[in-house]
Amino acid sequence: MAAATQPALTERPSWRALHSHFEQVRNLHLRKLFADDPARGERMTAEGAGIFLDYSKNRITGETLHLLLELAEEAGLRTHIDAMFRGDKINITEKRAVLHTALRAPAGASILVDGENVVPEVHAVVDKMASFSERVRSGEWKGSTGKRLRNVINIGIGGSDLGPVMAYEALRHYSDRAMTFRFVSNVDGTDFAEAVQDLDAAETLFIISSKTFTTLETMTNAHSGRQWLLSKLGNDESAIAKHFVAVSTNAKEVGKFGIDTANMFGFWDWVGGRYSMDSAIGLSTMLAVGADGFRAMLDGFRQMDEHFRTTPFDRNLPVLMGLLGVWHTDFFGAQTVAVLPYEQYLKRFPAYLQQLTMESNGKHVTLSGTAVDYATGPVYWGEPGTNGQHSFYQLIHQGTRLIPCDFIAFAKTLNPLGRHHDMLMANVFAQTEALAFGKTLEQVRAEGTPDWLVPHRVFEGNRPSNTILADELTPQALGKLVALYEHCVFTQGVIWQINSFDQWGVELGKVLAQRIIPELESAAEPTLGHDTSTNNLIRRYRKLRS
Ligand code: G6Q
């Protein structure tokens, strides 16, 4: 890959220019930037695929933007985008193409992986999911006792869980309310026990979602699911075929588990776990909202893909958001980004984004293996508004850290209820205004505040935020929103010259856990060869447990 021959990020002319520029603008206040430029609030906006982005409340000038866009050009962002969409093996440490965009490519498209067009296969899987979903939703597909299946339990973890949970919650409004959806991920038995405790096994369908079909947590939960079902249905092994389906790339392991591979929905090694909610991993989503809803979501993804692929960078939402993130992270030294959806249905969206962003860009070496000497992916976190306003917003407004925020809101509510929605939206606008402009010492004094209290009531302001505004939370809008962040992550990964598509950092803990399991399970006192802390903790656990 060309990366090895790229100049180091910090050697790029635009990067150096950004450094000297930063010294000039670091103390500029948004109050002044807005006062000096009456058109700023209208100019520093962009619209793509029906999503509106207001980025005017960031600490940037026209020159900042110009230099950031130059950085994108120097980094060869355009070439990298084309390489991803084309199916080049840009995930070099795993020697894989990165083609989540192929999951939503239109039927007639041609995208080659190792010389083979993958688009027909993608559509064949969506069709197979659609016919299965319709059979379950209509009641044609029945459980082994002849009862209709009303409960769906997705067993999966990480990329095989967070997307499905988030999408189910996000699209609940469109879901079949006669059905119950649960998601089991944690190897903590409580997760499974609570998920099934009030369910009738005869009405329950398990989806075992695992790309590899070897993941410890998922396989442990899948076996517990199998046992639970069999124990409730008279140990009739033939029930498995009616109550278990799999989503995986590993037909061999699926077969070994006892699931008929006719009831397996496939995907491919070029779909990363955290980029897979629009693959067959979204089977639970389709069961909830139906095939048309799922296809509408794919269409939303596709629209944002097209926007990202074809729009000039200065009007390109994911590019602008990605570059602003680099500006905050590497120049202002911001360590986190708060994602604040003012939409209750998006309550799991920040958790979903944590994996998407942090597993992708939490990297310490470049593609060529050299250590970076700049900060890469920030910590993403957040909660829906207005709830967060009554807890952690205090630190964002008056704390000592700079926390760039993404506010996400919708013009229309799915649950019109009196004045609720206007109140919700008033809070979005009020928060971004308060963060940017704050309240000066003079203003606080002018309100008659006693002198001793004045410093406590001053809001410095100058806290950056983006506002992302869409029309209404539909399946299509959800697809657009997820793709927006996927491509924002991609943009940043290209700038930082890292591989956004591997995740070696999760390996070590897995390996060590496998080593410790027999040490906990053995009847005889094991000989422990860890450090003294780990040895001591294991001994203590063994003692307390008994
Ligand atoms: C995502 C990661 C990781 C993965 C899980 C589940 O990008 O690779 O979160 O999705 O470890 O893996 P399986 O789907 O193979 O069970």
Side-chain angles (χ1 to χ4, degrees), residues 336-467:
T336 80
V337 176
V339 182
L340 310 165
Y342 279 63
E343 168 55 72
Q344 188 61 24
Y345 284 124
L346 288 184
K347 65 179 182 196
R348 294 288 294 176
F349 193 62
Y352 172 77
L353 277 191
Q354 284 188 324
Q355 185 191 24
L356 179 67
T357 59
M358 290 158 71
E359 203 168 35
S360 296
N361 284 345
K363 307 289 161 67
H364 74 301
V365 293
T366 65
L367 284 157
S368 54
T370 42
V372 297
D373 53 356
Y374 43 85
T376 60
V379 174
Y380 273 74
W381 59 286
E383 281 287 325
T386 56
N387 295 6
Q389 290 175 207
H390 299 267
S391 72
F392 56 79
Y393 278 39
Q394 165 63 35
L395 186 148
I396 308 181
H397 282 288
Q398 286 190 313
T400 53
R401 293 164 199 283
L402 189 76
I403 302 184
C405 302
D406 286 352
F407 287 83
I408 302 172
F410 296 87
K412 295 185 199 125
T413 174
L414 294 168
N415 294 295
L417 191 61
R419 298 167 60 214
H420 284 242
H421 197 61
D422 284 343
M423 287 188 188
L424 178 73
M425 294 302 289
N427 275 282
V428 178
F429 303 140
Q431 287 299 325
T432 70
E433 192 178 19
L435 286 168
F437 303 104
K439 202 173 192 184
T440 61
L441 196 89
E442 294 70 33
Q443 286 172 315
V444 177
R445 276 212 183 106
E447 285 172 353
T449 311
D451 278 355
W452 66 269
L453 192 54
V454 169
H456 300 275
R457 302 199 56 174
V458 167
F459 285 65
E460 279 174 359
N462 222 10
R463 269 52 173 175
S465 69
N466 288 316
T467 305

Side-chain angles (χ1 to χ4, degrees), residues 157-160 210-212 215 218 272-274 355 359 503 510:
I157 196 163
S160 301
S210 177
K211 184 170 162 179
T212 54
T215 305
T218 301
R274 55 194 175 274
Q355 185 191 24
E359 203 168 35
Q503 55 284 315
K510 281 192 199 172

Side-chain angles (χ1 to χ4, degrees), residues 100-106 122-123 125-127 129 171 276-280 282 285-286 291-306 474-480 483:
H100 41 281
T101 52
L103 297 170
R104 50 261 192 167
V122 166
H123 282 262
V125 172
V126 176
D127 290 345
M129 289 163 65
L171 302 179
S276 68
M277 61 168 276
D278 49 334
S279 71
T285 313
M286 195 189 268
D292 288 349
F294 192 83
R295 287 200 164 99
M297 183 180 82
L298 292 180
D299 179 57
F301 272 101
R302 185 184 312 131
Q303 286 188 44
M304 187 54 77
D305 290 346
E306 277 312 286
T474 58
Q476 205 185 48
L478 181 68
K480 292 174 188 178

